[in-house]
Amino acid sequence: QLQLQESGPGLVKPSETLSLTCSVSGGSISGSSYYWAWIRQPPGKGLEYIGSIFYTGSTYYYNPSLKSRISTSLDTSKNQFSLRLSSVTAADTAVYYCARLNGGSGWHFDYWGQGTLVTVSS
Amino acid sequence: QSALTQPTSVSGSPGQSITISCTGTSSDVGGYNYVSWYQQHPGKAPKLIIYEVSYRPSGVSNRFFGSKSGNTASLTISGLQGEDEADYYCSSYTSTSTLEVFGGGTRLTVL
């Protein structure tokens, strides 16, 4: 059973960079049908797709509203992938989820992490 | 503003059926049979309940049924139970630059 676990600081200061890592266990992130995704949910609001990266690390898709501030990366040796969001503001306060985007059978997020709350505050 | 449109809330009594709609465009819902639905209970991560419009992952109750017509996908829950009270989100593959897009979510209240 694939498991995903987010990790990173729970508190980030305004204008700084938010950095999160998703550790994957129970399977490899190197599967050719999968993208590895980040999704966030501000308190009391809906899900917002942030972006996805292919296992090779060379192909990625980002939410246009966040694109200028996002970077993602993969570390296949550690079976991890990461998100960096720069110049954060209070509007970036949210629960951040990592997930597997399964493109091999219909494009859906089939495995999710439990989520980690990141608060942007001084 | 979410790219896919869902009603903010729906409600039903135990045993009844409800339907949640998810409206997009020909670039997403209408153009591909890649609509998925997620159930989220408070404080929990979303859980996949429908993929490819109408397929249920192993372990998901057959009371959940997905369908699509044109640019609108629908999730029907039959025989409502208290445990179905949750937020429901649709998502679709999109030919735009993002790959995936979510709906704004629908809160289901079981009366």
Side-chain angles (χ1 to χ4, degrees):
Chain A
Q1 177 81 347
L2 199 70
Q3 292 187 322
L4 288 76
Q5 178 69 56
E6 305 88 352
S7 60
L11 181 64
V12 181
K13 289 183 168 57
S15 80
E16 295 190 344
T17 296
L18 178 161
S19 295
L20 295 174
T21 296
C22 183
S23 299
V24 180
S25 59
S28 172
I29 67 170
S30 299
S32 60
S33 299
Y34 308 122
Y35 280 74
W36 300 93
W38 292 96
I39 297 139
R40 71 180 183 180
Q41 185 170 36
K45 296 187 178 181
L47 300 173
E48 180 181 27
Y49 173 79
I50 298 173
S52 300
I53 184 169
F54 195 45
Y55 82 100
T56 58
S58 61
T59 304
Y60 46 84
Y61 295 85
Y62 296 152
N63 186 326
S65 68
L66 301 169
K67 188 175 182 178
S68 63
R69 300 193 290 131
I70 295 174
S71 68
T72 57
S73 61
L74 284 157
D75 187 337
T76 54
S77 67
K78 294 182 179 179
N79 225 36
Q80 295 177 337
F81 60 105
S82 299
L83 169 72
R84 288 172 58 86
L85 180 65
S86 63
S87 305
V88 297
T89 70
D92 294 310
T93 293
V95 174
Y96 285 76
Y97 295 100
C98 60
R100 187 177 80 171
L101 177 57
N102 188 337
S105 60
W107 294 104
H108 52 274
F109 301 98
D110 54 0
Y111 291 94
W112 295 69
Q114 65 184 27
T116 186
L117 175 63
V118 178
T119 302
V120 178
S121 175
S122 55
Chain B
Q1 185 175 359
S2 301
L4 305 181
T5 301
Q6 298 181 233
T8 303
S9 63
V10 298
S11 63
S13 299
Q16 289 186 331
S17 295
I18 62 95
T19 296
I20 300 170
S21 61
C22 170
T23 301
T25 68
S26 58
S27 295
D28 37 67
V29 174
Y32 309 91
N33 288 325
Y34 295 149
V35 177
S36 51
W37 290 90
Y38 304 86
Q39 176 192 61
Q40 186 182 34
H41 287 111
K44 299 295 186 181
K47 172 190 173 184
L48 176 69
I49 56 174
I50 295 287
Y51 66 98
E52 284 189 72
V53 176
S54 60
Y55 289 88
R56 286 185 302 276
S58 174
V60 173
S61 171
N62 59 10
R63 297 185 298 105
F64 294 91
F65 175 79
S67 60
K68 191 188 85 165
S69 178
N71 293 338
T72 298
S74 298
L75 172 70
T76 298
I77 308 174
S78 60
L80 273 179
Q81 300 178 1
E83 66 200 46
D84 299 330
E85 188 162 285
D87 293 327
Y88 292 84
Y89 294 88
C90 62
S91 179
S92 175
Y93 174 86
T94 173
S95 59
T96 65
S97 59
T98 62
L99 200 62
E100 281 287 319
V101 62
F102 281 106
T106 299
R107 177 150 296 177
L108 168 62
T109 301
V110 180
L111 302 171

